[in-house]
Amino acid sequence: MGSPRKSDRKALLDIGAWLFNIVTSVGIIMVNKALMATHGFTFATSLTGMHFVTTTMMTIVFRWLKLIQPSHLPMSEVLKFALFANLSIVGMNVSLMWNSVGFYQIAKLCMIPASCLLEVVFDQVRYSQGTKLSIMVVLVGVAVCTVSDVSVNARGLMAAVIAVWSTCLQQYYVHFLQKKYALNSFNLLGHMAPVQAASLVLVGPFVDFWLTGKRIDQYAYALPSVFFITLSCLIAVGTNLSQFICIGRFSAVSFQVLGHMKTIFVLILGFLFFGKEGLNLQVVLGMIIAICGMVWYGNASSKPGGKERRPHLPQRNSNGFTGEKTHDDDKV
């Protein structure tokens, strides 16, 4: 009798996690778009550093309130994660600057196959035919509605490769560390946020000056721009936390596939708030194909054999000992 209730509760929590991630991610994209396009604050890397400073302050408050329990994570793991995460942030910004928008979008789509490869190699995940085909449909749909002009150059290709693999490794590592060290999302964020905040605050102004030719200390701050910067930082706390929650509950691949729902929402909201330029039959068709693929992926990957991994990852319990996962825990 207890099993169906437990299953229903898990389904509700899963839906809540996805909605939390979608709302905060779409919200921060719209706020940042207004901040950069309307108020000319083009310092993306420094803004991300501010996001992690705010997130660090949140984790400190939560620790003080005893909402985050003490946990251990080796500094070598923290530094490795911070390297992947910061390379991802800088790499995506440089890729957008050096590549056409079309090739930048193609590079983002490559993250799903790359994440699949990481899971196959390191976690021995096996995908069913239906799951593979559904991922292909999602990729085709998002490509149809986002990819237009495509031009490639050597340095842009290099930046895209670094951006794709560092992002995939960072997202894979979120899931890996939570499982290996039995950390919840708050614990992991508490370990990671201070290191990312410190590193991005230090290097952010230099990276932004390199990318834009503008200095953040010479920006003409005004009440509206400060309001949007503050709002962006507050929403970022939820975005960072929801990313860790979602990847911890699911996997990097599922996060990438269903994460393209945010791309569709951003396109729709962009047309609603920033004008309907660019809205045509091709874009609408691409959205429909992508949404159908996402629904198919959710159904195919949840079926027995849709997406399974062999047990091999040792996991720490509260006493510090390790044990192998059982086969019952291997569906992802």
Side-chain angles (χ1 to χ4, degrees):
M1 293 291 289
S3 181
R5 290 179 183 176
K6 186 176 180 181
S7 177
D8 291 344
R9 183 172 178 272
K10 182 184 182 302
L12 286 174
L13 290 173
D14 289 347
I15 293 171
W18 278 121
L19 288 176
F20 183 30
N21 181 254
I22 288 172
V23 169
T24 55
S25 297
V26 173
I28 200 169
I29 290 171
M30 302 308 292
V31 168
N32 288 352
K33 188 170 183 178
L35 176 62
M36 294 181 182
T38 306
H39 300 285
F41 190 87
T42 55
F43 310 100
T45 310
S46 298
L47 182 62
T48 307
M50 297 178 199
H51 291 167
F52 278 102
V53 169
T54 311
T55 303
T56 300
M57 293 167 63
M58 181 272 292
T59 61
I60 291 171
V61 171
F62 276 26
R63 234 184 232 115
W64 180 66
L65 294 173
K66 307 296 185 185
L67 295 175
I68 298 180
Q69 301 303 318
S71 60
H72 171 70
L73 186 63
M75 182 54 66
S76 59
E77 302 278 33
V78 174
L79 294 177
K80 201 183 300 181
F81 178 90
L83 175 64
F84 294 147
N86 291 349
L87 272 177
S88 168
I89 294 164
V90 175
M92 293 303 291
N93 290 337
V94 173
S95 176
L96 183 57
M97 181 182 71
W98 284 350
N99 293 308
S100 65
V101 175
F103 186 75
Y104 173 77
Q105 291 293 346
I106 289 176
K108 287 179 68 176
L109 292 177
C110 289
M111 290 179 188
I112 293 180
S115 294
C116 289
L117 181 60
L118 288 177
E119 289 192 353
V120 169
V121 172
F122 293 113
D123 291 344
Q124 298 180 348
V125 169
R126 295 172 295 180
Y127 297 92
S128 68
Q129 195 69 21
T131 303
K132 293 174 186 175
L133 289 174
S134 67
I135 291 174
M136 289 294 297
V137 171
V138 172
L139 293 175
V140 169
V142 177
V144 167
C145 64
T146 61
V147 177
S148 52
D149 61 312
V150 179
S151 58
V152 187
N153 59 77
R155 66 175 188 172
L157 178 61
M158 181 69 69
V161 169
I162 293 173
V164 167
W165 281 108
S166 57
T167 301
C168 293
L169 285 166
Q170 180 248 338
Q171 292 180 355
Y172 174 83
Y173 225 52
V174 169
H175 189 80
F176 172 81
L177 291 176
Q178 288 192 46
K179 297 299 180 185
K180 182 176 180 180
Y181 294 98
L183 300 172
N184 61 34
S185 304
F186 287 98
N187 289 138
L188 186 58
L189 197 57
H191 287 290
M192 299 303 178
V195 178
Q196 282 195 260
S199 55
L200 288 173
V201 165
L202 286 173
V203 305
F206 299 101
V207 173
D208 289 330
F209 180 72
W210 175 46
L211 294 175
T212 66
K214 299 177 183 177
R215 288 171 49 179
I216 191 171
D217 60 313
Q218 294 180 348
Y219 175 75
Y221 293 91
L223 186 59
S225 60
V226 171
F227 169 77
F228 276 104
I229 290 170
T230 304
L231 183 59
S232 178
C233 289
L234 292 175
I235 298 174
V237 174
T239 306
N240 290 330
L241 179 59
S242 66
Q243 180 188 21
F244 280 32
I245 291 173
C246 285
I247 297 177
R249 292 187 69 84
F250 309 106
S251 69
V253 173
S254 295
F255 182 75
Q256 284 282 349
V257 172
L258 298 183
H260 279 297
M261 181 64 75
K262 293 178 285 188
T263 303
I264 305 301
F265 281 136
V266 168
L267 285 171
I268 293 171
L269 291 175
F271 294 135
L272 291 175
F273 291 106
F274 298 100
K276 293 182 173 57
E277 183 181 354
L279 179 61
N280 52 47
L281 182 61
Q282 176 184 328
V283 173
V284 174
L285 178 63
M287 289 180 181
I288 294 171
I289 294 173
I291 291 171
C292 290
M294 291 169 199
V295 173
W296 186 9
Y297 174 83
N299 182 54
S301 62
S302 62
K303 288 181 178 179
K307 183 182 176 186
E308 293 183 336
R309 69 170 53 134
R310 296 178 183 276
H312 74 284
L313 183 64
Q315 184 174 358
R316 296 187 179 219
N317 59 28
S318 57
N319 297 320
F321 297 104
T322 60
E324 295 295 325
K325 292 170 62 181
T326 64
H327 189 69
D328 293 337
D329 298 328
D330 291 338
K331 291 183 183 178
V332 290

